[in-house]
Amino acid sequence: MSPEPHPAQSEILPPLINLKPVNWFFDVNRAMSLWPVTFGLACCAIEMMAVSMTRFDIARFGAEVFRPSIRQADLMMVTGTVTKKMAPAVVRLYEQMPAPKFVLACGNCAISGGPFKFEGQYGIVEGVDQLIPVDVYVPGCPPRPEAILEGVFSIQEKITGRRWWPGPEEMPSDPAPPAKAAT
Amino acid sequence: MALSLAVFVQIIVAVLLVIGLMVGNAVVMVYVERKACGFIQRRPGPFEVGPRGLLQAVCDSMKLLGKQIFVPGNIDWPLHFLAPVVAFLPVLLLYLPIPFGPYLTSLQVDDGILLILAFAGLGAVSNILAGWSSNNKYGLLGAARAVAQSVAYEIPMIMALLAVIFMTGTMNLTTLVEGQGGWPWQWNIVRQPLACFIYVVCLVAETNRAPFDLPEAESELTAGFHTEYSGMGFALFFLSEYANMLLVSFVCAVFFLGGWRGPFLDGFWWTFAKAYAIMFFIVWIRWTFPRVRFDQLLNLNWKWLLPLSILNLWLTAVVVKLAN
């Protein structure tokens, strides 16, 4: 006997315990463990790889667990040009993601179409926010890995309401390079 | 053994302690694994969440608790919800016969290793339940791979352990430890090096860890059998994976590395130190070796490990017979 076919249950229920400290606790935990989905569209994806590698190391902030399955991911980095051919797949991926979900539009193409936006163009979606809600925009063509890190910090700030890490202006300036010994 | 009240209470306490051990082990191992991965790739790994990133695993588990449980369409829903539980529950039973220390054994079973090997097979059942019920082609492929892999690698694993059992003449894990001495040259690894090697290879394959993580090969199968699981279902699979790793490490420590016996001051700390050394070894090779292809995986088993383990078993039997 095969079970009756039934549609997916994906409604988001209101919280059973709607207390401020509890919500704050879960929000902080969510902010500290944003798992991105392994998903790249164009050259910005190369920067997304760079940000998880040695010099920039998004792992320091707990966001290096690139989950291949969208069901286990929290953060969708739309890295690159969204073509009209790709748009249904992007929307579908977003719809498959379980509820506390965040989108980071990375690079000029994902923000507005970037260099591909001109009169008479026919193949590009001019900004991924025409398809799915976007939380944070990271400009750049492509953005530096530091900018992507900054985008992740902004999402953390958006979730918890405060910024967690010092910005570049608050960091102590680099010490002067040691004087080279005269040769 | 009469099931008296004392034994019943002992089992309840043991199960509670084992649950604590499993959860604590998962939290510690998630942190250790990500840190080790970072150090191997010349980066610090989790660093900012808590002092030196120590709270990272706690944050991850809390986040998974708060994640929406997404139920895909047209699934076989009783099996879909049963599969993570089936993955998690048998592991509780498997820890009962393990002698952690001279007095720290939950349940004295004469055929302890038989109990462990019999119920460890349920892990494959949970994988196939998860893959089958998800209504997902990647899940189904992952489940098929998981079953082929764990059925294949169980045979040389049992053969390797059987060689030690032939040699020592006991299946009781406590007696096995008492038969070994404290110093490394008195351990079974010296007398059965080939069996130990085969067991360690099979241990990695049985727990579906890289380089043998074919059931969840990310680049081919998205996430294999747990593709459709979000939130706590995924967390339970994760928990049972780490618990299985720890279990096979304990069995390896008891069988080949002298269990709780050490050069000085016998006690449960030696068992834990040896088991966690093997755990670290598993993490280390995960981030060092690339994944094998599926035909390579099965060829390694059927063409190398199985004949070698049969040869080893036969040699052991001959030597034991001659020595008697």
Side-chain angles (χ1 to χ4, degrees):
Chain A
M1 187 194 80
S2 68
E4 288 290 306
H6 63 90
Q9 298 165 13
S10 59
E11 79 273 34
I12 300 167
L13 303 171
L16 288 176
I17 307 168
N18 203 356
L19 293 175
K20 209 172 176 195
V22 177
N23 286 343
W24 178 84
F25 177 73
F26 275 103
D27 281 345
V28 169
N29 284 319
R30 267 166 207 149
M32 292 304 132
S33 120
L34 287 168
W35 292 0
V37 61
T38 317
F39 163 68
L41 290 175
C43 40
C44 290
I46 305 294
E47 301 298 316
M48 184 177 77
M49 294 167 207
V51 81
S52 68
M53 290 298 154
T54 308
R55 288 180 63 187
F56 306 102
D57 195 14
I58 204 170
R60 290 177 291 155
F61 308 98
E64 95 278 29
V65 190
F66 280 89
R67 292 307 308 173
S69 168
I70 193 82
R71 300 262 191 250
Q72 295 139 18
D74 314 293
L75 171 65
M76 183 165 153
M77 294 190 191
V78 184
T79 46
T81 325
V82 187
T83 57
K84 283 190 179 151
K85 200 95 170 163
M86 196 65 194
V90 173
V91 173
R92 184 159 191 190
L93 267 187
Y94 178 78
E95 284 168 350
Q96 303 261 325
M97 196 147 70
K101 52 185 170 183
F102 309 99
V103 178
L104 187 151
C106 174
N108 289 352
C109 299
I111 294 173
S112 69
F116 303 105
K117 183 179 182 180
F118 54 86
E119 206 172 326
Q121 69 87 6
Y122 53 86
I124 302 296
V125 177
E126 293 178 357
V128 75
D129 50 5
Q130 297 185 0
L131 302 172
I132 56 178
V134 174
D135 288 290
V136 166
Y137 298 86
V138 178
C141 191
R144 294 271 315 163
E146 292 95 329
I148 297 180
L149 276 180
E150 190 62 38
V152 172
F153 299 163
S154 306
I155 288 183
Q156 290 179 342
E157 191 179 346
K158 194 170 176 178
I159 298 170
T160 58
R162 62 165 277 206
R163 191 187 162 88
W164 288 85
W165 323 110
E169 67 281 356
E170 299 164 48
M171 294 294 276
S173 58
D174 287 340
K180 276 192 178 168
T183 50
Chain B
M1 184 180 65
L3 191 68
S4 61
L5 188 68
V7 175
F8 186 69
V9 169
Q10 189 187 359
I11 291 178
I12 296 291
V13 171
V15 164
L16 290 179
L17 284 178
V18 164
I19 291 177
L21 176 67
M22 280 170 75
V23 174
N25 168 60
V27 168
V28 170
M29 279 315 290
V30 165
Y31 177 71
V32 167
E33 176 142 27
R34 288 166 75 173
K35 268 301 203 200
C37 159
F39 288 146
I40 286 170
Q41 297 171 356
R42 293 193 69 188
R43 54 191 177 82
F47 197 80
E48 303 286 349
V49 185
R52 297 194 80 82
L54 276 171
L55 291 179
Q56 186 61 59
V58 181
C59 281
D60 284 344
S61 49
M62 284 298 130
K63 180 207 72 176
L64 285 173
L65 258 181
K67 201 84 175 138
Q68 179 195 10
I69 293 180
F70 192 102
V71 182
N74 295 331
I75 56 162
D76 203 342
W77 64 267
L79 298 185
H80 191 75
F81 290 111
L82 201 60
V85 182
V86 172
F88 178 77
L89 279 185
V91 189
L92 290 181
L93 181 64
L94 301 185
Y95 276 92
L96 291 187
I98 300 275
F100 296 103
Y103 305 106
L104 198 64
T105 311
S106 322
L107 194 61
Q108 283 289 353
V109 190
D110 280 343
D111 303 331
I113 188 61
L114 206 61
L115 180 76
I116 292 177
L117 289 173
F119 281 94
L122 279 177
V125 175
S126 83
N127 289 358
I128 201 166
L129 279 186
W132 175 259
S133 64
S134 301
N135 187 25
N136 181 312
K137 53 179 179 278
Y138 297 120
L140 191 56
L141 278 171
R145 283 181 173 192
V147 171
Q149 180 174 339
S150 58
V151 166
Y153 274 83
E154 243 164 34
I155 301 166
M157 189 177 197
I158 293 173
M159 295 276 193
L161 294 181
L162 208 54
V164 179
I165 292 169
F166 274 19
M167 204 179 67
T168 57
T170 177
M171 281 208 233
N172 188 331
L173 296 173
T174 312
T175 324
L176 260 167
V177 175
E178 280 163 356
Q180 305 176 58
W183 294 94
W185 57 84
Q186 295 165 323
W187 295 345
N188 279 339
I189 184 172
V190 178
R191 290 190 282 176
Q192 288 282 357
L194 187 60
C196 185
F197 173 75
I198 292 170
Y199 181 77
V200 169
V201 175
C202 295
L203 164 164
V204 179
E206 275 289 307
T207 49
N208 298 338
R209 295 282 297 181
F212 302 130
D213 61 341
L214 272 302
E216 45 200 278
E218 285 112 5
S219 49
E220 305 151 30
L221 293 183
T222 42
F225 57 87
H226 57 59
T227 303
E228 293 286 351
Y229 285 88
S230 67
M232 278 320 283
F234 172 64
L236 276 182
F237 274 118
F238 224 66
L239 199 64
S240 62
E241 180 182 325
Y242 279 115
N244 270 319
M245 273 167 69
L246 187 64
L247 177 89
V248 291
S249 304
F250 272 126
V251 172
C252 188
V254 164
F255 257 79
F256 296 104
L257 302 180
W260 72 73
R261 311 292 293 270
F264 50 87
L265 219 60
D266 291 353
F268 68 90
W269 40 86
W270 282 109
T271 324
F272 274 84
K274 288 162 183 170
Y276 273 94
I278 301 164
M279 291 283 271
F280 183 75
F281 178 74
I282 302 175
V283 169
W284 183 15
I285 59 171
R286 170 171 181 185
W287 295 106
T288 311
F289 290 117
R291 184 181 300 128
V292 297
R293 278 202 322 266
F294 200 65
D295 59 321
Q296 290 170 333
L297 175 92
L298 289 184
N299 280 347
L300 175 72
N301 178 59
W302 296 114
K303 290 187 182 168
W304 288 98
L305 294 183
L306 187 61
L308 275 178
S309 60
I310 291 176
L311 183 73
N312 186 43
L313 190 63
W314 180 75
L315 277 178
T316 312
V318 169
V319 170
V320 166
K321 186 74 183 166
L322 289 182
N324 284 347

